[in-house]
């Protein structure tokens, strides 16, 4: 392995920091949405706000050389007038310095879903003011952290949070409206380009990318109908983020189809020009599974998400476009109905590299499991097998010429998993009820794998 290859792990501000109302932090949409509904929340989460020194030390002892985390916008900017919260800045500067002291590269996401409520109050991602607010927030981040951070991400998973918030309705703001989804998605991609532009204007040292919830698409057969369904699915799941961020172009066939049903006049010529001129330096791909599709047959559009872990599958059917299916004979699933499919990562990496020719980081990969963390050491062989096979897929793709520069396990330690709460655990380190940190078996496995230069991976090869 190249000595500069990043082996790390990842978290996100709302999911791990806790301290939701201290040191003048403003409320985020997640604080308000979960409090109003009385749902399990991240008020305390893993309390990384107070434990970050211990957590980062543990990453370093686990052989990791990079930490991917996000900044909380409402912790840094107090209001829509843009007043900066010096306490929030001091917290992140200290966290970043701690990383550097331990030889850990901070890999920083500017936005991982915790929109300040003061922007939701004026329509959130449906309002272009939020894009300009994001731009100012990103400028502040570059200005105050650029001496400590060289690797930046504009947004984490635009598809996931806009679809969940505006189409499926299981995330804040909890709406079900396809038009709102399209508008929010566009605004987020525009804001991302504004962030890239601010980074370039400032002339900062380093690189900036975007992170996508990557779902490589497969079809049930190689008929023309299936290929068309696959293209629809790819446009829905991947291309509107990756094409837009990497090439500066929203897929034209997608625009044509949307234009038949929706008024797209909110996409202004000058904004499309900003998107065109401000493409990213790298792609961050979060990989959990692929998407198997067949041609659309009947029924209404339906998007089902399993937040219960009771075995149901996450399925997408888009009327007239495609249907996602789950009937592979030997397929394995986690308890939340996500198929475990390492082979998809190899194929997806090759496809993404062929299409965009940009360096790639696997910015998340991991498995959610229900675990008893009262024991001294969680024996998570299932997670080890999962990581082994996915790292194997990544190594195969690299041998085939794909420029992968880093791998981040999701997650560094147990944290709040959005609507799945603390029941769905992903950490390499357990965080128990008393917030005690206890490395799992996978933490040691990962440490030893990194030390071996990935030679200890039990390599797998799959037929095409
Ligand atoms: C993607 C998201 O970025 C992260 O916030 C989430 O918890 C994980 N996937 C696991 O679902």
């Amino acid at each position: 392995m190249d000595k500069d290859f990043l082996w790390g792990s990842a978290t996100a501000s709302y999911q791990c920091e806790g301290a939701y109302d201290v040191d003048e932090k403003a409320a985020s949409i997640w604080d308000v949405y979960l409090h109003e509904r009385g749902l399990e929340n991240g008020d305390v989460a893993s309390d990384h706000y107070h434990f970050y020194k211990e957590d980062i030390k543990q990453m370093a002892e686990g052989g990791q050389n990079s930490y991917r985390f996000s900044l909380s916008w409402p912790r840094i900017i107090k209001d829509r007038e843009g007043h900066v919260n010096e306490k929030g800045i001091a917290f992140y500067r200290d966290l970043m310095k701690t990383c550097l002291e331990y030889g850990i590269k901070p890999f920083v996401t500017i936005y991982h879903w915790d929109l300040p409520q003061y922007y939701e109050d004026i329509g959130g991602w449906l309002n272009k003011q939020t894009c300009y607010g994001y731009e100012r927030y990103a400028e502040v981040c570059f200005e105050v952290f650029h001496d400590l951070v060289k690797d930046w991400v504009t947004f984490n998973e635009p598809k996931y949070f806009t679809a969940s918030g505006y189409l499926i309705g299981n995330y804040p703001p909890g709406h079900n409206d396809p038009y709102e989804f399209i508008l929010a998605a566009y605004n987020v991609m525009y804001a991302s380009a504004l962030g890239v532009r601010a980074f370039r204007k400032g002339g900062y040292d380093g690189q900036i990318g975007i992170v996508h919830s990557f779902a490589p698409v497969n079809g049930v057969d190689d008929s023309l109908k299936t290929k068309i369904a696959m293209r629809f699915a790819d446009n829905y799941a991947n291309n509107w983020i990756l094409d837009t961020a990497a090439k500066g172009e929203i897929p034209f066939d997608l625009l044509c189809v949307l234009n038949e049903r929706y008024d797209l006049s909110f996409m202004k010529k000058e904004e499309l020009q900003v998107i065109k001129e401000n493409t990213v330096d790298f792609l961050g791909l979060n990989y959990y599974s692929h998407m198997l599709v067949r041609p659309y047959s009947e029924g209404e559009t339906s998007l089902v998400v399993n937040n219960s872990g009771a075995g149901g599958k996450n399925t997408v059917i888009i009327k007239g476009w495609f249907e996602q299916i789950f009937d592979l004979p030997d397929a394995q699933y986690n308890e939340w109905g996500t198929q475990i499919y390492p082979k998809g990562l190899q194929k997806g990496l090759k496809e993404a590299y062929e299409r965009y020719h940009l360096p790639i980081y696997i910015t998340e990969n991991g498995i959610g499991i229900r675990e008893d963390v009262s024991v001294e050491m969680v024996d998570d062989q299932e997670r080890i097998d999962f990581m082994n096979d996915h790292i194997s897929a990544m190594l195969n793709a690299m041998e085939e010429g794909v420029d992968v520069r880093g791998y981040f396990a999701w997650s560094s330690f147990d944290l709040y998993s959005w609507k799945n709460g603390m029941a769905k655990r992903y950490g390499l380190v357990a965080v128990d009820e008393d917030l005690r940190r206890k490395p799992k078996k996978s933490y040691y496995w990962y440490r030893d794998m990194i030390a071996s230069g990935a030679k200890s991976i039990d390599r797998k090869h799959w037929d095409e």
Side-chain angles (χ1 to χ4, degrees), residues 113-128:
W113 308 356
D114 41 358
L115 182 73
Q117 179 63 31
Y118 53 75
Y119 273 108
E120 185 53 39
D121 293 342
I122 58 161
W125 288 111
L126 303 176
N127 186 339
K128 236 157 243 178

Side-chain angles (χ1 to χ4, degrees), residues 216-247:
V217 174
N218 285 305
V220 281
D221 56 39
D222 58 4
S223 68
L224 180 62
K225 271 195 150 197
T226 300
K227 289 211 170 98
I228 293 171
M230 284 169 69
R231 173 71 192 178
F232 275 124
D234 213 6
N235 276 345
Y236 167 79
N238 303 306
N239 303 339
W240 69 261
I241 302 98
L242 295 181
D243 280 20
T244 310
K247 297 188 192 165

Side-chain angles (χ1 to χ4, degrees), residues 51-159:
F51 281 84
Y52 66 94
K53 289 206 164 123
E54 183 176 336
D55 292 333
I56 292 167
K57 178 167 182 269
Q58 202 154 44
M59 290 171 207
E61 286 169 358
Q64 299 172 36
N65 62 5
S66 187
Y67 174 32
R68 174 176 177 242
F69 58 93
S70 76
L71 305 174
S72 160
W73 182 352
R75 207 183 276 295
I76 292 182
I77 309 286
K78 292 186 197 173
D79 48 37
R80 284 208 302 277
E81 284 71 54
H83 292 107
V84 170
N85 178 5
E86 296 301 339
K87 290 181 186 160
I89 299 213
F91 164 67
Y92 286 117
R93 281 195 65 83
D94 206 44
L95 190 156
M96 291 162 185
K97 281 187 193 160
T98 307
C99 286
L100 296 173
E101 277 160 25
Y102 281 107
I104 288 190
K105 216 174 191 216
F107 201 94
V108 175
T109 308
I110 298 170
Y111 183 89
H112 196 128
W113 308 356
D114 41 358
L115 182 73
Q117 179 63 31
Y118 53 75
Y119 273 108
E120 185 53 39
D121 293 342
I122 58 161
W125 288 111
L126 303 176
N127 186 339
K128 236 157 243 178
Q129 288 310 317
T130 304
C131 305
Y132 301 120
Y134 172 87
E135 184 184 22
R136 287 193 299 274
Y137 158 55
E139 280 165 1
V140 170
C141 294
F142 300 141
E143 207 38 50
V144 300
F145 302 129
H146 73 96
D147 56 328
L148 304 173
V149 178
K150 308 293 164 200
D151 300 275
W152 295 95
V153 167
T154 57
F155 279 85
N156 178 70
E157 298 196 348
K159 144 92 194 307

Side-chain angles (χ1 to χ4, degrees), residues 312-385:
K313 310 268 194 305
N314 303 307
T315 33
V316 180
I317 297 174
I318 302 212
K319 193 173 181 177
W321 289 17
F322 68 91
E323 292 177 12
Q324 182 180 13
I325 61 153
F326 288 92
D327 61 355
L328 288 183
D330 305 319
Q332 276 181 286
Y333 298 93
N334 74 4
E335 279 183 72
W336 284 263
T338 303
Q339 191 189 340
I340 299 169
Y341 195 68
K343 177 180 166 180
L345 177 59
Q346 183 174 340
K347 179 185 128 88
L349 286 171
K350 277 166 61 187
E351 270 175 17
Y353 193 59
E354 273 160 25
R355 286 182 192 178
Y356 307 111
H357 304 288
L358 286 176
I360 295 175
Y361 293 83
I362 297 175
T363 34
E364 283 182 33
N365 177 235
I367 181 166
I369 309 177
R370 255 178 234 286
E371 288 167 329
D372 171 10
V373 294
S374 64
V375 297
E376 244 350 272
M377 186 173 79
V378 176
D379 181 350
D380 54 347
Q381 189 59 41
E382 198 182 346
R383 179 168 294 109
I384 294 173
D385 294 342

Side-chain angles (χ1 to χ4, degrees), residues 2 40 46 65 99 286 296 308 328-329 353 375 400 447 452:
D2 186 301
E40 186 179 346
S46 329
N65 62 5
C99 286
N286 293 350
Y296 168 78
S308 71
L328 288 183
Y353 193 59
V375 297
E400 291 178 89
R447 179 194 66 186
S452 79

